[in-house]
Amino acid sequence: MAHICIHWFRKGLRLHDNPALIAALRDCKELYPVFILDPYLHNKTSVGINRWRFLIGALKDLDCSLRKLNSRLFVLRGKPEDVFPKLFNQWKVTKMTYEFDTEPYSLSRDKTVTTLAKDHGVEVIYKISHTLYDIERIIEENNGKAPLTYTRMQAIVKTLGPPKRPISAPTVEDMKDVKTPSFKKHGEEYGLPTLEELGHNTSALFEEKFPGGEQEALRSLDEHMQRTGWVCGFEKPQTSPNSLSPSTTVLSPHVTFGCLSARTFWWRLTDVYQGKKHSDPPVSLHGQLLWREFFYTASVGVPNFNKMEGNPVCTQVDWDTNPEYLAAWREAQTGFPFIDAIMTQLRQEGWIHHLARHAVACFLTRGDLWINWEEGQKVFEELLLDGDWALNAGNWQWLSASTFFHQYFRVYSPVAFGKKTDKNGDYIKKYLPLLKKFPAAYIYEPWKAPHSVQQAAGCIVGKDYPRPLVEHEVISKKNIQRMKLAYAKRSADSESPSKKQGVKRKQPSVADLMKKKEKKK
Ligand code: FAD
């Protein structure tokens, strides 16, 4: 039977290495590539203007690539469970395909939509291509538990062998018997929204440094892969949090939205490494992709992964509720130029270096402000172009020394850390131009500058730029003691998760059930 098929794009906004899209084309006479603006996922609270711009760019690019195959993208709005039944009837759909997604919301959404599809006689096929491996296989291989250390993760991955090779994008030839019906009012009914239509004030936007889309992702990947010496010598801890142009790849937004397949990234690196001396995980670029896999696995294996409460691997800490401190951190008003410059870059550009994330995350939580990491997670989710449910939650737990990392007594200084790679404070001057006339001796601590220096710099601390919110030397020592207490409480509990190698799942997940069903077929 020739099918009328919907391929549902969610993440995976690409044609290359898209096995679900290829599955859609099998025995297909009509293809509807669909993207849904889902109010749960695509709203103004959790998606900031820069990420919207990236998403719209990625969708535009996808539409453009589909048109080259004589197809096009249909963008719809609403809850998927409301949108799909109408489409199934209207287009007489017989098959639907999508890329598997491990986020809890996605799993429950997909379960609902799959049930609705089956009720409408629509066959559903999903494929795994957002991660390097099938995350369930990693957990299975670790006796049903998520590995909680990178070393353990490496051991498991070694037994699985290298990730699958990516598959090619469909060609015009692959599409020769497939058509996408055209609608007169396509633009009106299924067109892409503009930022203005979505209610954003675009006059506040900064230059788009990292545009979205598969073509841009592949171009950027090519560019990096040509720097073979840089790729082979890459060691993450040696890269700089405050260089004026990024010292790492900035491929993360593309990987998050799936404009770039992680497996394509992995295998391009393998090709570059071939026959050459190169760095290794955890610090190499392969190592970075394994960090991603590590946090994805933990996010699937650990219940309530994005929360402190109910999360069995997370140290329970008596964080303070302090809206003023939180607002000051979010709005780059802490009075520590290094922290404020990073938060400004985040808001303006949507990307900050990994170690810059370390600095501001430690400052907000265990280092200085003693605020729950979940609050930081929310701000990052809104402002990061690469905002990713699993990676954001996993890294915030790491940085707050709640999970994975336990050396809570190692605190980043909001003054000394940045100086290591930028003595002059050029990065601070770029993002906080009101401090640009401060001499290097005071740029990280302007409050220590004599009044005459502040006057000469045209910026009086306490008037033009805030005084430091806290006294780092004092508060960080106090916080280490508070953390020590939280750890003591944690180890007093004989069931302490820190003593376990991983968390065993109580019940099979929706993914398990769906996969078992498919295996049976
Ligand atoms: P590169 O160094 O070039 O690495 C290549 C790829 O490896 C990245 O594109 C990314 O996909 C992956 N990767 C690198 N570092 C990590 C890591 N520590 N954990 C998981 N994957 C990694 N990354 C996100 O993609 N989304 C997030 O929401 C996110 N939130 C974070 C929150 C905090 C508090 C911290 C400390 C880190 C967070 N990270 C997040 C991880 C990391 O900072 C970014 O992935 C990285 O900085 C992206 O830049 P890049 O592409 O230049 O990385």
Side-chain angles (χ1 to χ4, degrees):
M1 167 177 123
H3 283 285
I4 299 177
C5 185
I6 287 179
H7 175 71
W8 183 12
F9 283 101
R10 305 100 63 85
K11 295 173 187 166
L13 301 179
R14 62 173 185 267
L15 300 191
H16 75 278
D17 196 28
N18 193 336
L21 178 63
I22 298 294
L25 300 181
R26 222 163 284 138
D27 299 322
C28 175
K29 60 176 180 181
E30 279 180 26
L31 175 73
Y32 292 91
V34 160
F35 183 87
I36 299 180
L37 290 168
D38 174 349
Y40 181 85
L41 291 176
H42 309 110
N43 57 63
K44 271 183 155 181
T45 320
S46 57
V47 185
I49 187 165
N50 283 325
R51 194 143 99 248
W52 266 115
R53 177 164 66 175
F54 190 95
L55 171 63
I56 291 173
L59 293 173
K60 239 182 224 165
D61 177 71
L62 185 62
D63 185 41
C64 190
S65 301
L66 286 165
R67 282 169 192 248
K68 288 182 189 149
L69 298 177
N70 302 316
S71 180
R72 67 189 300 187
L73 189 65
F74 293 71
V75 179
L76 292 113
R77 294 150 204 235
K79 291 187 196 160
E81 64 265 35
D82 297 336
V83 172
F84 277 119
K86 288 182 201 146
L87 297 184
F88 294 151
N89 290 332
Q90 197 180 327
W91 295 340
K92 306 196 170 17
V93 176
T94 58
K95 186 165 92 176
M96 181 164 99
T97 59
Y98 62 79
E99 179 187 68
F100 186 62
D101 188 351
T102 51
E103 282 182 34
Y105 169 74
S106 311
L107 287 172
S108 80
R109 172 198 64 193
D110 294 350
K111 186 179 175 216
T112 310
V113 170
T114 299
T115 307
L116 286 168
K118 298 210 163 142
D119 291 347
H120 285 76
V122 176
E123 178 191 353
V124 176
I125 297 174
Y126 67 87
K127 299 280 179 189
I128 291 164
S129 52
H130 188 60
T131 45
L132 295 174
Y133 295 91
D134 174 355
I135 299 294
E136 295 287 338
R137 274 288 294 128
I138 297 176
I139 292 177
E140 228 171 77
E141 201 61 29
N142 195 40
N143 304 319
K145 303 170 199 166
L148 293 180
T149 66
Y150 192 84
T151 316
R152 182 77 194 139
M153 180 74 182
Q154 277 179 297
I156 300 293
V157 159
K158 206 169 171 192
T159 63
L160 296 178
K164 276 188 188 161
R165 282 196 178 265
I167 56 169
S168 305
T171 60
V172 174
E173 175 61 21
D174 297 325
M175 296 282 288
K176 71 179 188 315
D177 299 322
V178 183
K179 72 174 180 115
T180 295
S182 58
F183 293 82
K184 256 198 199 134
K185 291 188 176 169
H186 187 104
E188 253 168 68
E189 283 184 57
Y190 308 118
L192 271 165
T194 61
L195 286 170
E196 286 82 1
E197 277 163 19
L198 293 164
H200 288 286
N201 173 10
T202 50
S203 64
L205 269 172
F206 283 79
E207 178 205 351
E208 186 170 25
K209 287 197 119 183
F210 312 111
E214 181 181 16
Q215 296 316 308
E216 173 57 22
L218 293 173
R219 187 208 57 75
S220 176
L221 178 69
D222 275 345
E223 197 176 278
H224 287 299
M225 294 307 110
Q226 275 159 23
R227 301 160 68 201
T228 52
W230 181 78
V231 169
C232 291
F234 185 95
E235 291 194 359
K236 189 66 165 266
Q238 304 311 321
T239 59
S240 161
N242 45 8
S243 51
L244 295 185
S245 50
S247 59
T248 53
T249 65
V250 198
L251 286 169
S252 51
H254 296 301
V255 177
T256 291
F257 281 95
C259 303
L260 175 64
S261 143
R263 298 189 297 215
T264 301
F265 193 173
W266 176 276
W267 282 101
R268 287 293 300 276
L269 289 167
T270 306
D271 291 345
V272 174
Y273 292 156
Q274 207 63 47
K276 296 185 196 75
K277 195 169 168 272
H278 60 84
S279 54
D280 285 309
V283 295
S284 63
L285 278 166
H286 260 175
Q288 303 314 301
L289 290 174
L290 285 180
W291 278 117
R292 178 173 182 268
E293 214 67 9
F294 170 75
F295 288 121
Y296 260 87
T297 310
S299 79
V300 171
V302 176
N304 300 307
F305 190 64
N306 65 335
K307 297 188 180 76
M308 178 177 80
E309 276 179 39
N311 175 341
V313 296
C314 183
T315 305
Q316 305 296 302
V317 179
D318 63 338
W319 303 111
D320 292 339
T321 305
N322 192 330
E324 287 102 281
Y325 276 14
L326 177 59
W329 178 82
R330 193 181 52 225
E331 306 302 331
Q333 295 291 317
T334 66
F336 288 95
F338 181 52
I339 300 296
D340 293 342
I342 296 169
M343 294 306 287
T344 304
Q345 184 189 13
L346 172 62
R347 188 168 292 276
Q348 290 181 359
E349 299 175 5
W351 181 89
I352 49 176
H353 185 275
H354 182 59
L355 295 175
R357 300 181 199 208
H358 275 223
V360 295
C362 181
F363 184 86
L364 179 74
T365 57
R366 65 190 170 87
D368 297 81
L369 304 188
W370 202 255
I371 288 176
N372 192 332
W373 57 270
E374 289 174 44
E375 297 296 338
Q377 176 183 240
K378 272 186 234 160
V379 174
F380 269 29
E381 186 192 352
E382 180 199 342
L383 298 179
L384 279 173
L385 293 176
D386 62 31
D388 176 292
W389 190 87
L391 304 190
N392 202 17
N395 278 286
W396 270 100
Q397 286 174 73
W398 183 294
L399 261 300
S400 59
S402 300
T403 314
F404 310 118
F405 172 80
H406 300 115
Q407 290 167 305
Y408 59 83
F409 41 85
R410 287 179 58 184
V411 172
Y412 290 100
S413 157
V415 172
F417 184 42
K419 279 188 189 171
K420 283 204 284 189
T421 39
D422 179 22
K423 257 203 171 61
N424 268 337
D426 292 334
Y427 173 83
I428 292 173
K429 293 177 185 177
K430 176 175 177 186
Y431 289 102
L432 302 178
L434 87 165
L435 298 179
K436 72 170 186 273
K437 289 193 181 143
F438 271 91
Y442 297 112
I443 187 93
Y444 283 86
E445 300 168 284
W447 65 92
K448 287 193 177 167
H451 194 71
S452 58
V453 173
Q454 297 186 27
Q455 246 171 349
C459 174
I460 306 294
V461 174
K463 182 170 153 262
D464 305 312
Y465 180 70
R467 286 183 209 289
L469 216 52
V470 289
E471 205 178 326
H472 173 73
E473 297 307 329
V474 176
I475 200 79
S476 57
K477 289 196 178 73
K478 197 176 137 207
N479 288 348
I480 288 173
Q481 291 313 311
R482 287 180 88 173
M483 209 63 188
K484 198 173 176 181
L485 280 178
Y487 269 62
K489 233 171 118 193
R490 171 182 168 150
S491 56
D493 176 2
S494 58
E495 280 300 300
S496 170
S498 65
K499 298 207 175 86
K500 298 179 190 168
Q501 235 324 304
V503 171
K504 196 150 199 162
R505 225 143 0 121
K506 285 192 201 109
Q507 286 176 332
S509 66
V510 178
D512 274 336
L513 298 173
M514 287 169 90
K515 226 173 281 163
K516 264 187 201 134
K517 257 189 175 177
E518 203 178 56
K519 269 184 201 155
K520 272 188 203 155
K521 274 188 208 163

